[in-house]
Amino acid sequence: MAFPNVRLASRPLHFIYVCDCSGSMEAQGKIESLNQAIRQSLPGMAAVARDNPEARVLVRALRFADRAAWHIPTPTPVEDLEWVDLQAGGVTAMGEALELLAAELRSPPMEQRALPPVLVLISDGQPTDDFEAGLAALMAEPWARRAVRLAIAMGHDADGEVLQRFIGSDPARGSAGGALPPGEVPGASGEMPRHGPGRSPRRPLQAANATTLARYIQWASTAVVGAASSSASRLADAAASQEAVPLPDLPPTELDPLDEPDPLKW
Amino acid sequence: MNPTPSSGEPAMLRRWLVAGVCSRRGSAHRRRGQPCQDASLQRAFTLPGGLPLTLLAVADGHGGQAYHHSDVGSALACEVAAEVVAAALARLPVGTAPPAGADLMALRRWLAEDLPIALQQRWLTAVRQHWLAGSGGGEGGVPFSPVPYGSTLGLLLLTPRWWALTGLGDWDLVRVDPAGAAELLSQEVAAPGAGEATASLCQEGAAQGGWFRSRVWPLEDQVLPFSLVLCTDGIRKSCASDADFLALAAWLAAGPDPGAAHPGAPHPDTAHPAIGGSDTGEGGVGVDAFLAEGLDRISAEGCGDDVSVAIGRWQAGAAAVPPSDSSAATVPAPDPRPHLQEPPLAAVPLLLTGGLALLIGLALGQRLPLASAPAPAASPPRPGLPPAGREPLRREVGRLCGDPALLVPSLHTRHSQVQGLRRGTLRPETLLIDSARDPLGALIAASFLEHRREAGRLNGLQDEMFSFGLCPALRSALGSLWLPATPPAIHPAMAPTSNRPSP
């Protein structure tokens, strides 16, 4: 009997950049560095997608300044993506961006069989609108809670607290219920972050220069995409405390972001 | 596919045939050099009364670094299932009539309580033994944990007088009728945002924690043929939609054309040949190759996951009675009840068109005029619905009409049935025949047929429904299901409930 006329399909993997395009991103050429880093990461992401044909990597981008808007509104296969440069100017409507993001993570339009999406928030400043409302709207969506949520802080003016709250707490490492380490903040769930000191993908990634930014963008678009392409089951009773996707090791950077004393070098 | 009986048992006992059991390494695992973490098994037993019992099992190791022995865990899950069932044969109903009353209750309790506990305990013992034997990877200094062996497990137990499912995890069970209409009978209901989370044998207290889902169906001789397709989640996740999944399940259930070129070559990617389907043989020459090719294609063009399937087929046939030389204490007389034989497939369209009214009459215990519903010439007399089927219908009508506030919430839960009927993936007679167990489903099916027919063709049905006290509110709510727009009584956001709780 011939194979039936059914639609077999790889599982969509949505990768969404959420980019701060406020006026401060114009300083020191940060917006140019961000555009360049993303553009340069695309071939690597496409190669990972080719190596994992069971996942259909679809890229979108959201920008926020005075208002939030979709920069690349259509989920675009990475091999077809042509990056159009972001432009900086305005304030930091991060909350509105998260609300826009939440709307796209509803099901539908999210596919029932999608892989956990990858959300990358990149910012150099502090929200100027209602971040709380935006985060609440986002985290109300099951797909957002399942998502791999990463944050990159460009420079030292980025609000680490809001970026950490976007990421949520680190479920994989100890000290739940203990006192917060210096500089730590509760995650979106209200739980204490469980990661220890040092770099962690479950903490905002501090990009103090263009090179580090490029490495983090490359890491997110290749290693993380590769990990997210390989779905593995998790235990149902531990789902809330398990990462949706085991995150790969961070790339080496020129300077340890925790104790980096140097000024920005963009 | 033309399965043949095996093992020397009388053909009359072999209404259940195994149409294939197979596990295949997924395309992603193949590319990465990882083993197949799925397993499957078929095992035949004989109950003390002489009735055969066939066990079908599929298991899905979780994969990922945290579950690096899950290929072993899934294989052991299937093996211990066979051991546990073998040890429990004396507890199972052995009568020649479908279990009822205390027997049925005991069977349900065993499936829902005792069997899960025994399965998990035996599995934990087995994986610990594997770990202690040193093949657990030599995790020096690391205390034993069952988590690396984590696996789901789905089981079918098939006898001529009842069949049952049990297990935990994200496996799916589809029922397919001879015309190819498929219905999802069981699935794991995940919490919102649960993602890839699934219940597992490695979870502490899984057997007692409500993670298992179990259900039993008594079988009368006149139950029409159908197939059961039990599969791991890799198949459903490879399909773009549930409709595609059901169509794929129907294709797998139908099997290869007789004589089709499936050479039956050895399949190095078939998992655990001693456990998986490659040595089962009952499905006939070429079935293994058919399944292997089909599953490989599903994985390669779909999600890339390992894929497993176990297919059982309830065939048309003579009454299933033990042989006279069986070990049964008493030899039952041949079943005097008339048999409702399945017409050949070519006659199915006739049933679906000219015979609808008769079918409804069957379901509601009333024969409609033959002038509007000619039966296939070769069909034997149809029995009326057993009293057990009429009373639930009457009660359901009374319940809904007695409290119209129940109408919307009750119909909300039947979104999948409504959609299945609308799309043609669910045959109304499947619901009508099942009216004893699911009277609301039968009412929905009857309403669907009423809607589909010209005015006046189903007056008998309407009269019969009114004889149950069918109130205008219920009639209206049922009728609204078939309006062209989204049915107002069925909110699309409501989750389908094809996985109804165990009775």
Side-chain angles (χ1 to χ4, degrees), chain A residues 60-85:
Chain A
R60 274 176 284 183
L62 183 56
R63 66 175 185 269
F64 56 94
D66 287 337
R67 299 297 305 268
W70 283 99
H71 182 60
I72 300 174
T74 304
T76 305
V78 60
E79 60 272 22
D80 298 338
L81 185 65
E82 294 183 8
W83 185 254
V84 177
D85 281 350

Side-chain angles (χ1 to χ4, degrees), chain A residues 1 20 43 52 112 127 143 147 150 180 190-191 204 206 216 227 246 249:
Chain A
M1 184 177 291
D20 186 342
N52 295 275
Q112 186 182 359
W143 276 111
L150 306 172
L180 287 175
E191 297 176 0
Q206 193 75 47
Y216 283 142
D249 290 341

Side-chain angles (χ1 to χ4, degrees), chain A residues 3-266:
Chain A
F3 200 82
N5 182 26
V6 298
R7 294 171 299 155
L8 298 175
S10 53
R11 299 175 68 184
L13 169 56
H14 292 281
F15 186 100
I16 303 177
Y17 284 115
V18 185
C19 301
D20 186 342
C21 294
S22 60
S24 59
M25 288 288 287
E26 274 192 308
Q28 300 171 298
K30 282 186 279 191
I31 196 72
E32 287 83 2
S33 296
L34 178 57
N35 282 319
Q36 185 176 359
I38 292 176
R39 186 179 289 106
Q40 287 179 343
S41 73
L42 294 178
M45 188 191 285
V48 171
R50 283 194 299 274
D51 290 343
N52 295 275
E54 297 83 19
R56 191 159 23 100
V57 181
L58 302 167
V59 181
R60 274 176 284 183
L62 183 56
R63 66 175 185 269
F64 56 94
D66 287 337
R67 299 297 305 268
W70 283 99
H71 182 60
I72 300 174
T74 304
T76 305
V78 60
E79 60 272 22
D80 298 338
L81 185 65
E82 294 183 8
W83 185 254
V84 177
D85 281 350
L86 296 160
Q87 305 297 323
V91 291
T92 311
M94 189 186 293
E96 185 182 4
L98 298 187
E99 289 185 8
L100 284 180
L101 187 56
E104 289 300 308
L105 292 177
R106 291 192 189 112
S107 185
M110 279 294 287
E111 304 88 340
Q112 186 182 359
R113 290 173 173 77
L115 290 160
V118 179
L119 314 176
V120 184
L121 174 60
I122 305 161
S123 176
D124 76 333
Q126 301 185 358
T128 54
D129 64 350
D130 192 348
F131 170 79
E132 299 294 339
L135 184 64
L138 179 68
M139 299 311 294
E141 298 301 328
W143 276 111
R145 296 196 295 271
R146 305 174 51 175
V148 178
R149 300 185 304 277
L150 306 172
I152 300 175
M154 294 184 66
H156 292 301
D157 292 334
D159 189 329
E161 177 179 340
V162 300
L163 295 182
Q164 184 67 64
R165 296 189 63 194
F166 170 78
I167 294 170
S169 60
D170 182 348
R173 298 171 67 177
S175 84
L180 287 175
E184 295 287 356
V185 295
S189 64
E191 297 176 0
M192 298 300 161
R194 295 178 182 177
H195 51 71
R199 291 194 308 156
S200 164
R202 301 298 297 160
R203 300 179 65 184
L205 305 174
Q206 193 75 47
N209 55 54
T211 303
T212 304
L213 174 69
R215 286 183 178 169
Y216 283 142
I217 295 283
Q218 186 77 17
W219 171 80
S221 57
T222 54
V224 174
V225 166
S229 298
S230 308
S231 70
S233 298
R234 297 176 295 146
L235 301 187
D237 63 351
S241 61
Q242 286 182 304
E243 293 175 336
V245 174
L247 289 173
D249 290 341
L250 288 168
T253 53
E254 292 176 341
L255 296 168
D256 188 327
L258 280 186
D259 55 10
E260 179 180 350
D262 294 349
L264 296 180
K265 296 187 291 187
W266 292 97

Side-chain angles (χ1 to χ4, degrees), chain B residues 22-413:
Chain B
C22 190
S23 292
R24 298 290 290 179
R25 187 160 60 136
S27 57
H29 284 179
R30 215 172 290 182
R31 194 175 54 254
R32 297 176 190 131
Q34 296 172 319
C36 180
Q37 290 153 343
D38 272 15
S40 50
L41 172 142
Q42 139 186 17
R43 198 63 56 85
F45 303 97
T46 302
L47 293 170
L51 292 178
L53 182 150
T54 299
L55 170 70
L56 301 181
V58 298
D60 181 359
H62 299 330
Q65 292 180 349
Y67 309 99
H68 53 279
H69 293 318
S70 61
D71 55 330
V72 177
S74 61
L76 289 174
C78 290
E79 283 293 355
V80 303
E83 293 175 20
V84 169
V85 169
L89 293 177
R91 296 185 52 184
L92 301 180
V94 297
T96 55
D103 281 350
L104 185 57
M105 292 297 292
L107 178 56
R108 287 173 175 158
R109 191 162 49 247
W110 177 72
L111 282 165
E113 299 172 12
D114 300 346
L115 179 59
I117 290 173
L119 281 172
Q120 191 180 24
Q121 287 178 345
R122 182 69 191 92
W123 181 83
L124 287 170
T125 301
V127 299
R128 178 184 284 274
Q129 288 172 341
H130 180 271
W131 182 81
L132 289 174
S135 50
E139 297 105 323
V142 179
F144 167 74
S145 166
V147 170
Y149 294 86
S151 176
T152 69
L153 178 63
L155 302 179
L156 287 177
L157 295 95
L158 312 173
T159 85
R161 285 309 182 209
W162 54 270
W163 70 272
L165 68 83
T166 192
L168 79 174
D170 51 8
W171 46 269
D172 299 297
L173 177 65
V174 178
R175 174 180 172 142
V176 183
D177 73 12
E183 176 189 10
L184 186 59
L185 282 188
S186 185
Q187 63 179 328
E188 184 173 53
V189 178
E196 310 295 313
T198 183
S200 171
L201 285 168
C202 72
Q203 287 173 275
E204 185 177 354
Q208 298 95 337
W211 297 106
F212 274 73
R213 53 193 201 271
S214 305
R215 193 165 175 185
V216 60
W217 283 261
L219 276 169
E220 301 272 0
D221 284 341
Q222 63 265 37
V223 170
L224 299 177
F226 62 94
S227 295
L228 297 172
V229 180
L230 176 67
C231 51
T232 53
D233 68 327
I235 294 182
R236 191 172 179 186
K237 286 179 177 171
S238 292
C239 297
S241 71
D242 280 352
D244 293 296
F245 169 62
L246 293 175
L248 198 56
W251 177 74
L252 289 168
D257 290 331
H262 293 285
H267 301 292
D269 285 316
T270 300
H272 311 290
I275 298 174
S278 62
D279 65 336
T280 56
E282 195 171 287
V285 174
V287 171
D288 291 341
F290 165 80
L291 288 179
E293 291 172 13
L295 295 183
D296 284 351
R297 179 168 177 178
I298 290 167
S299 178
E301 296 181 18
C303 72
D305 198 3
D306 301 331
V307 280
S308 293
V309 69
I311 305 169
R313 180 178 300 159
W314 172 256
Q315 296 204 130
V321 296
S324 58
D325 59 349
S326 77
S327 58
T330 58
V331 179
D335 192 338
R337 290 169 292 183
H339 305 145
L340 182 61
Q341 294 178 342
E342 177 74 352
L345 283 181
V348 169
L350 179 61
L351 262 181
L352 282 175
T353 54
L356 278 181
L358 181 63
L359 197 56
I360 298 163
L362 163 67
L364 295 182
Q366 172 177 330
R367 294 191 189 151
L368 301 184
L370 286 179
S372 62
S379 296
R382 263 84 170 158
L385 191 73
R390 293 175 59 87
E391 188 54 31
L393 264 177
R394 191 184 305 277
R395 279 201 306 268
E396 183 68 1
V397 169
R399 182 182 75 91
L400 296 172
C401 290
D403 185 0
L406 296 174
L407 281 171
V408 168
S410 297
L411 292 175
H412 270 171
T413 66

